[in-house]
Amino acid sequence: MKKMITSLKAIIITILLTMLIQSCTTYKAANVSLNKAVKSELKVKVTKTDGKKEKFARIEIFNDGQYYGLKKIRANEYSNILIDTNTVKKVQLYDKTNSIIQSVALPVVVIGSVIAIRESVINSIGF
């Protein structure tokens, strides 16, 4: 019974860590211009001069020449938020490669580590 409870705890921790890690989105460290962000059509994180960070599905320029961040509200429904260019400190683009690595490789490492630790504990106890 004690062995089963220990195994269940390990499985629950593994599942929770996997879900936590998979929700990560990674952005490139390099600062880009708003024009480059518009051309890339990628997710964008904008840091303002007051320290606030906003994440957008993408940035667009409308006919008035202003930059707007598209924030996802629901599936296929976006809200346009005006970006004041005077308050923008940093613009970072979505890093697809690192996001995939974090979503796939890290959970595999965590699961492998938990299994290895569990096996070594079971072997040391003598089960």
Side-chain angles (χ1 to χ4, degrees), residues 8 12 20 23 25 29 33 43 52 57 83 86 95 102 104 118-119:
L8 285 175
I12 290 170
L20 179 69
S23 64
T25 301
S33 67
K43 292 181 185 177
K52 291 183 182 177
I83 298 173
N86 297 326
D95 190 350
Q102 285 183 358
V104 176
R118 185 179 154 270
E119 291 298 321

Side-chain angles (χ1 to χ4, degrees), residues 14-81:
T14 303
I15 291 170
L16 290 174
L17 286 173
T18 303
M19 288 182 352
L20 179 69
I21 291 171
Q22 284 185 345
S23 64
C24 293
T25 301
T26 306
Y27 294 91
K28 295 181 181 180
N31 187 21
V32 297
S33 67
L34 285 170
N35 283 330
K36 188 169 182 178
V38 170
K39 290 177 186 174
S40 72
E41 296 183 358
L42 294 172
K43 292 181 185 177
V44 177
K45 180 168 73 172
V46 176
T47 306
K48 304 264 179 133
T49 53
D50 62 0
K52 291 183 182 177
K53 296 177 183 178
E54 292 187 272
K55 295 178 183 176
F56 300 108
R58 66 182 179 275
I59 294 179
E60 293 185 351
I61 299 177
F62 289 129
N63 293 336
D64 60 359
Q66 299 282 337
Y67 293 97
Y68 288 86
L70 275 67
K71 203 165 252 219
K72 193 170 189 174
I73 299 171
R74 292 183 205 105
N76 298 326
E77 190 174 332
Y78 296 89
S79 173
N80 299 328
I81 298 173

Side-chain angles (χ1 to χ4, degrees), residues 3-16 114:
K3 180 182 172 186
M4 187 167 57
I5 290 173
T6 306
S7 295
L8 285 175
K9 284 181 183 179
I11 291 169
I12 290 170
I13 289 171
T14 303
I15 291 170
L16 290 174
V114 169

